[in-house]
Amino acid sequence: MRRTRLAGALTAVIALALAATGCGGGDAPEAAPAAKAAAAPDRVEPLPSPASPRLPVTVGSADGRRVTVASTERIVPLSGSLSEIVFTLGLGDRVVARDVTATFEQAADLPVVTRAHDVSAESVLSLRPTLVLAESTTGPAEAIAQIRDAGVPLVVVPAAKDLDDIGGRIDDVAGALGVPAAGGELRERTAERLDAVREKIPAHAEKPRVAFLYVRGSAAVYLLGGAESGASSLLEAAGAVDAGKESGLRKDFTPITSEALAQAAPDAILVMSKGLQSVGGVDGLVKIPGVAETPAGADRRVVSVDDGVLLNYGPRTDQVLASLVDQLYGEEK
């Protein structure tokens, strides 16, 4: 679905908060035991057989252009999710830069050229890329145009908001890299792993209501996720109800108010792990106006997932879903 201008503005606020806080890092207090961190290590798992690009290829770009890719020797993915796909396809040794959200171990030493959708065209071009991969939300537009005007092939991939978007994104990236067969293999592996997690979800007569809160304490950003936040598909796949969406919030995020939280009435709260740390853990989270009055706040029932993977909708989404399921139903399994 296309975002509204207001939704896009709120997304920009989140992006700036991410950049300002370094994705919520720092020496913040640890979360209380009630908030369990994601168990998966911060690494991607490349396909067992290295892919060998067959080039040149001409592919469609999400902005309506046709782009010819002649070399993948120096790749610059402008989002953490796209980086994850490239590395998992086995071409990580060709990546020469990263977005600040590419937090996984294999990409850690790469120079950062993008911070929360704020692309530095000069930094990208200084690395002499032979292919740049962007998302439809990547910007500013002037930077994207500057990269294109320099003659660098730039392929735009649609942004993901849903589990159903994963396969198409893998296909788009694999196609641009000239490794469509590897893309098909990764797409199949990812789908199988997601299905395996779904099979283990306990059946419930009444589904838990979960509210997704985006919080950055150091930037004073406190938002409640709605239908377009990107979390709905994950929560519903985990057998839960997106409390913000169910309460009538149709855009991506809205400022947290006591009234909005009371309407959502969540049984559990989902947050990014570094965002939780930024407010002082669970103790700080329940001090946000209205949180303590919800069933989730009263029970201190908080689910946290690492910032770098929660909304990526990439090859590690099965790990995200497994973490959600474990934290929501762990005692029942």
Side-chain angles (χ1 to χ4, degrees):
M1 298 182 183
R2 295 187 180 274
R3 300 181 181 186
T4 63
R5 290 184 179 179
L6 180 57
L10 283 166
T11 301
V13 169
I14 294 171
L16 290 172
L18 266 169
T21 59
C23 288
D27 298 324
E30 292 184 0
K36 304 176 185 177
D42 199 8
R43 290 183 58 83
V44 300
E45 180 189 348
L47 293 172
S49 301
S52 181
R54 299 186 65 178
L55 300 169
V57 294
T58 299
V59 296
S61 180
D63 57 358
R65 300 169 184 257
R66 299 287 294 175
V67 180
T68 297
V69 180
S71 170
T72 56
E73 290 303 311
R74 300 181 65 81
I75 307 168
V76 177
L78 296 179
S79 78
S81 179
L82 295 177
S83 291
E84 182 177 323
I85 295 172
V86 175
F87 272 82
T88 309
L89 286 168
L91 299 177
D93 59 341
R94 301 170 183 235
V95 176
V96 296
R98 69 181 177 94
D99 175 75
V100 71
T101 59
T103 57
F104 54 91
E105 185 177 310
Q106 294 100 318
D109 294 333
L110 292 170
V112 175
V113 295
T114 318
R115 290 185 178 274
H117 304 290
D118 185 13
V119 175
S120 169
E122 293 79 7
S123 296
V124 171
L125 293 173
S126 71
L127 295 165
R128 298 175 288 107
T130 58
L131 172 64
V132 173
L133 298 170
E135 302 210 16
S136 53
T137 53
T138 303
E142 295 79 8
I144 299 302
Q146 186 176 343
I147 294 169
R148 274 216 172 97
D149 289 345
V152 178
L154 188 150
V155 177
V156 179
V157 177
K161 283 281 191 91
D162 194 284
L163 287 170
D164 292 339
D165 296 330
I166 297 174
R169 286 167 63 77
I170 292 173
D171 287 345
D172 288 342
V173 173
L177 297 175
V179 291
E185 182 181 349
L186 179 57
R187 178 176 186 152
E188 183 177 349
R189 186 184 84 175
T190 303
E192 288 175 350
R193 292 181 175 184
L194 282 167
D195 287 343
V197 176
R198 287 188 178 103
E199 290 175 0
K200 298 178 181 178
I201 298 174
H204 286 81
E206 187 171 341
K207 298 180 178 180
R209 296 173 60 86
V210 182
F212 174 40
L213 303 188
Y214 183 91
V215 295
R216 281 293 184 267
S218 55
V221 175
Y222 307 102
L223 303 173
L224 170 60
E228 294 295 306
S229 73
S232 293
S233 182
L234 280 168
L235 291 173
E236 290 163 5
V241 172
D242 182 338
K245 174 183 175 181
E246 187 72 10
S247 69
L249 300 179
R250 298 302 170 209
K251 55 188 180 182
D252 51 4
F253 292 93
T254 190
I256 291 175
T257 64
S258 297
E259 293 77 12
L261 284 172
Q263 182 70 23
D267 302 307
I269 289 172
L270 169 64
V271 288
M272 293 181 178
S273 55
K274 291 180 181 177
L276 183 62
Q277 293 171 10
S278 78
V279 297
V282 175
D283 288 341
L285 187 69
V286 297
K287 292 178 182 177
I288 296 174
V291 171
E293 287 69 47
T294 65
D299 293 338
R300 297 171 63 87
R301 192 177 183 195
V302 178
V303 174
S304 68
V305 176
D306 186 75
D307 304 45
V309 295
L310 177 57
L311 300 180
N312 262 8
Y313 288 111
R316 293 190 292 169
T317 303
D318 65 294
Q319 297 176 15
V320 177
L321 184 58
S323 180
L324 286 175
V325 171
D326 182 62
Q327 293 181 71
L328 284 172
Y329 315 112
E331 296 180 359
E332 303 174 28
K333 295 171 66 180

